[in-house]
Amino acid sequence: MVRNGIQSMNGNKNLIEKSQRPSLSSASNSSPSNASNASALKIIPLGGLHEIGKNTCVFEYGDEIILLDAGLAFPTDGMHGVNIVLPDVSYLRENRDRIKGMIVTHGHEDHIGGIAYHLKQFDIPVIYGPRLAMALLQGKLEEAGVSDNTELRTVRPREIVRIGKNFLVEYIRNTHSIADSFTVAINTPIGVVIHSGDFKIDHTPVDGEFFDFQRLAEYGEKGVHCLLSDSTNAEVPGFTPSERSVYPNLERIFAQAQGRLLVTTFASSVHRLNLILAAAQKLGRSVAVVGRSMLNVIAHARNLGYIKCPDNLFVPLGAISGMPDDKVLILTTGSQGEPLSALTRIANGAHRQLSIKAGDTVVFSANPIPGNTIAVVNTIDKLMMMGANVIYGKDKGIHVSGHGCQEDHKLMLALTRPKFFVPVHGEHRMLVQHSKTAQSMGIPPENMIIIDNGDVVELTPDSIRVAGKVASGVEPVDASRSGVVRDDVMRERQQLAADGVVTVAVAVGVGGELLAQPEVHLKGVVTSADLATLQNQIAQSIEHTLSDRWSEFSRSFGDGQQEIDWVGVKTQVERAIQRLLRRELQSNPLLVLLLQTSSGQTNSPQTSDEPSTDDQFRGRRRPRTAARVAS
């Protein structure tokens, strides 16, 4: 049955492929409701599709918009200097007056990490979410100075909140790797839409808060119009093991460790932290916590009762030097090899208070998320070189996923029995596999679609389709977190990393002559050429360009005045130098040209990669400006 279903999915025209999707004219600048059925519910993911992270989804009906989560992602290797990646929210900026509120499903960074940044661009009247997520979010908003731009309201299981006049949202308890996690049922004028949030089926949750199957089943009995469901582990057969299954292995490893224990996991994995602290208490080890995010989560989780342990279990980091090594457990951030995390700095010998010594045991109670594998293994290598015994890997049984596998997905589908289905939260192959699982559960292929970020899903009582597209993409934020790294800046960083930079300072007279030998500096450029030779070649190239093209940029007036288009001069000189560099260096370094004129005018340094002005790079001709100088 699955095999036939797969063939049907691949061939059925109703399973919309990107190449067949209609586009909205000026989609990035207007509401999709202008070009489609105004009475339909529109679902617009801005992040989380064909990727892991930055989960952000828009629900729109009539003139009202609500948001579900707003997360961040980690940068790829080519994003030099970037600290976090946010989704492009230009659609929300353009429709800010229609936003009525936000639903938060849980407190992971890939679901709440972008909210503080977005609130700097548009207000959100009210944000509803679980107690732990709201506690974590409150600190983020205060730190960013945007806490006055919204109102945070906590919700309890089965609590129903109204947002605007078209959305009634019920919070349904689920189980995940963080405490206080929810599935949501969104009641709309066209029917009930259930968004699973991140989930797995854990029958023995660490906090005793069980998945509310009964309420899901009640919605399934009444009729669920559409299900949007987490696809992260869609390729993995079976059920995801319970969080409790890691405890015996953690306790055994802790008991066998002879010296200090350093344990790293996701700071937001409250259930895992509970198990680690319980094992430490049982084995008589005091716990020192390292890392700001870890300290923050533990503090909030203890205040809310999600972590229960005595106060005297914890000791200050500075106190462990006077304690026996076999009585110490150091709980630290850095399970993903983050450059600024505590464990990475320890591995690099850059931590001010901690260093590895022979006999230490380091436990990685986490698996690398996609894109972080190299950073993690580099950290492990460095720790081993320092003499640590490092415990890591799936075979050790010290980590389980917080996301459901295929049997978890089947149970979600069986309980909700949706008419329409949209797989979300995952890379493309995961979305495809989740759709195959849904077909095996009886959902017709014409009733499900695989979508991408920015797609406008139009849901009516009788149909589901992709009705267009809005602006989507990424907004990288640099390590200072002071602003978005523009595309042109990112291109320059990539070019600098690949080929280095060449700086040329040149002085040109009003007659088009070189006033001095150009000054040339190379940084990060690999070349066998002599610098003096290259300097002479650049001078000759500039002289040739000026002699051939000067008449295009200069004209005289009867009153003895002269008008020179210095912008045009600079552009042509840049092009000539860039051609020369490509030919002589066999590479394409970034060019910074400083043009000094005899009139005292200095054109500010400009980088060039093609080498043209920014406007010309984007396919437009920059209007020429003129400077009049005395002849």
Side-chain angles (χ1 to χ4, degrees):
M1 178 177 178
V2 175
R3 180 171 56 83
N4 293 336
I6 294 171
Q7 291 173 347
S8 175
M9 282 187 63
N10 290 336
N12 196 304
K13 294 181 180 179
N14 290 315
L15 189 63
I16 302 174
E17 297 295 337
K18 288 185 183 180
S19 61
Q20 298 172 316
R21 294 173 186 162
S23 297
L24 297 177
S25 58
S26 303
S28 62
N29 298 314
S30 62
S31 167
S33 59
N34 296 334
S36 55
N37 187 353
S39 63
L41 174 70
K42 296 171 183 66
I43 303 171
I44 310 170
L46 297 179
L49 275 299
H50 295 89
E51 63 184 356
I52 301 295
K54 64 185 180 71
N55 299 290
T56 306
C57 192
V58 175
F59 290 82
E60 180 176 333
Y61 188 88
D63 61 350
E64 294 185 337
I65 285 176
I66 67 171
L67 310 178
L68 188 144
D69 293 336
L72 53 79
F74 294 108
T76 61
D77 290 340
M79 295 182 175
H80 304 289
V82 172
N83 196 42
I84 61 169
V85 180
L86 302 173
D88 181 346
V89 292
S90 56
Y91 180 74
L92 295 176
R93 288 194 293 266
E94 293 157 5
N95 292 276
R96 67 184 69 197
D97 295 336
R98 303 169 60 206
I99 299 173
K100 303 303 178 184
M102 173 182 279
I103 310 161
V104 168
T105 60
H106 64 284
H108 275 150
E109 284 290 285
D110 61 334
H111 290 260
I112 67 170
I115 296 175
Y117 298 92
H118 302 330
L119 284 172
K120 295 179 181 179
Q121 305 174 65
F122 51 83
D123 290 351
I124 301 173
V126 60
I127 300 176
Y128 293 97
R131 292 188 302 154
L132 180 57
M134 293 297 96
L136 296 172
L137 182 58
Q138 180 67 44
K140 293 177 181 295
L141 301 189
E142 290 175 355
E143 184 178 351
V146 294
S147 56
D148 292 337
N149 295 8
T150 189
E151 179 184 356
L152 302 184
R153 296 185 186 176
T154 60
V155 293
R156 299 278 184 166
R158 295 198 177 188
E159 186 171 345
I160 299 174
V161 298
R162 178 175 289 280
I163 306 179
K165 60 180 182 291
N166 292 308
F167 300 98
L168 204 62
V169 181
E170 180 172 357
Y171 277 75
I172 302 170
R173 172 75 73 193
N174 70 20
T175 47
H176 185 38
S177 56
I178 189 172
D180 224 4
S181 180
F182 286 87
T183 293
V184 291
I186 306 172
N187 296 268
T188 75
I190 61 97
V192 175
V193 175
I194 288 184
H195 194 295
S196 72
D198 288 0
F199 80 98
K200 71 175 181 180
I201 308 299
D202 193 338
H203 296 294
T204 57
V206 173
D207 59 3
E209 298 285 353
F210 293 92
F211 205 128
D212 194 350
F213 299 125
Q214 179 184 350
R215 192 62 182 138
L216 272 184
E218 289 172 359
Y219 271 104
E221 186 68 25
K222 294 176 183 177
V224 172
H225 197 58
C226 183
L227 170 67
L228 287 78
S229 190
D230 173 18
S231 306
T232 306
N233 279 338
E235 299 172 289
V236 184
F239 284 100
T240 300
S242 169
E243 183 69 26
R244 285 189 184 274
S245 66
V246 306
Y247 181 80
N249 296 318
L250 284 174
E251 183 182 340
R252 174 178 50 80
I253 290 170
F254 290 3
Q256 292 173 350
Q258 299 299 310
R260 295 186 305 178
L261 264 170
L262 287 83
V263 184
T264 183
T265 189
F266 293 101
S268 57
S269 295
V270 174
H271 300 323
R272 187 71 49 79
L273 297 177
N274 246 326
L275 298 178
I276 292 168
L277 294 171
Q281 183 179 359
K282 181 177 179 179
L283 297 171
R285 287 184 180 260
S286 297
V287 178
V289 181
V290 187
R292 182 181 177 188
S293 59
M294 188 77 75
L295 287 163
N296 189 40
V297 170
I298 290 176
H300 285 300
R302 293 189 72 202
N303 288 338
L304 296 172
Y306 292 114
I307 289 180
K308 298 176 182 178
C309 58
D311 292 342
N312 62 7
L313 179 64
F314 298 97
V315 295
L317 182 59
I320 64 174
S321 60
M323 301 175 62
D325 288 350
D326 61 354
K327 297 299 181 183
V328 171
L329 186 149
I330 300 165
L331 187 55
T332 177
T333 55
S335 67
Q336 299 303 303
E338 305 95 318
L340 300 179
S341 67
L343 187 60
T344 302
R345 285 186 286 125
I346 293 169
N348 291 330
H351 197 282
R352 290 182 297 176
Q353 295 176 277
L354 282 174
S355 59
I356 294 295
K357 58 183 178 180
D360 286 347
T361 297
V362 182
V363 179
F364 278 75
S365 185
N367 289 335
I369 64 175
N372 289 350
T373 302
I374 294 176
V376 172
V377 297
N378 285 341
T379 300
I380 291 172
D381 280 348
K382 291 175 182 177
L383 291 168
M384 286 183 169
M385 291 176 189
M386 292 177 171
N389 175 32
V390 185
I391 310 296
Y392 66 97
K394 296 180 180 179
D395 61 317
K396 300 300 188 297
I398 53 177
H399 175 71
V400 292
S401 176
H403 299 268
C405 297
Q406 290 177 4
E407 296 303 316
D408 302 75
H409 294 165
K410 289 177 183 177
L411 184 53
M412 176 64 73
L413 288 159
L415 289 169
T416 55
R417 294 186 286 174
K419 180 177 182 179
F420 299 106
F421 175 68
V422 182
V424 294
H425 294 190
E427 296 171 347
H428 181 73
R429 65 188 185 280
M430 302 170 186
L431 306 180
V432 170
Q433 182 57 53
H434 202 171
S435 295
K436 296 175 183 178
T437 300
Q439 277 198 62
S440 73
M441 295 293 291
I443 298 180
E446 62 268 21
N447 282 15
M448 64 182 78
I449 52 176
I450 295 175
I451 57 175
D452 201 351
N453 295 327
D455 285 346
V456 180
V457 177
E458 187 176 84
L459 194 62
T460 71
D462 302 311
S463 66
I464 186 170
R465 71 186 184 104
V466 175
K469 198 171 183 68
V470 303
S472 63
V474 299
E475 293 184 347
V477 178
D478 68 8
S480 68
R481 299 197 173 197
S482 60
V484 173
V485 181
R486 302 189 316 270
D487 288 346
D488 58 328
V489 174
M490 187 60 65
R491 284 194 297 268
E492 288 175 359
R493 288 182 178 182
Q494 291 167 346
Q495 193 174 7
L496 277 166
D499 295 315
V501 60
V502 175
T503 303
V504 178
V506 57
V508 178
V510 294
E513 72 282 0
L514 277 181
L515 300 179
Q517 182 80 346
E519 187 174 339
V520 179
H521 297 278
L522 309 181
K523 294 292 183 182
V525 177
V526 177
T527 177
S528 58
D530 178 72
L531 181 59
T533 301
L534 184 62
Q535 194 171 19
N536 289 331
Q537 290 174 328
I538 290 175
Q540 291 173 11
S541 176
I542 295 172
E543 288 176 336
H544 186 267
T545 300
L546 292 175
S547 63
D548 283 355
R549 307 292 296 273
W550 186 253
S551 60
E552 299 177 24
F553 307 118
S554 174
R555 61 175 177 160
S556 300
F557 296 87
D559 58 0
Q561 297 294 309
Q562 185 180 17
E563 186 177 69
I564 300 174
D565 176 11
W566 290 113
V567 173
V569 171
K570 185 176 182 184
T571 299
Q572 291 302 321
V573 170
E574 282 177 334
R575 288 175 175 168
I577 296 174
Q578 193 71 27
R579 286 194 296 268
L580 171 68
L581 294 176
R582 281 199 294 262
R583 182 180 70 248
E584 296 298 325
L585 302 179
Q586 297 297 303
S587 63
N588 189 30
L590 194 69
L591 172 63
V592 179
L593 176 64
L594 180 64
L595 179 64
Q596 177 75 41
T597 73
S598 61
S599 65
Q601 175 183 351
T602 301
N603 285 311
S604 59
Q606 176 175 324
T607 58
S608 174
D609 54 359
E610 185 43 44
S612 55
T613 65
D614 289 343
D615 286 342
Q616 288 168 328
F617 184 87
R618 291 190 283 265
R620 299 190 299 272
R621 182 176 178 82
R622 174 184 281 189
R624 289 182 176 176
T625 58
R628 293 175 70 97
V629 297
S631 60

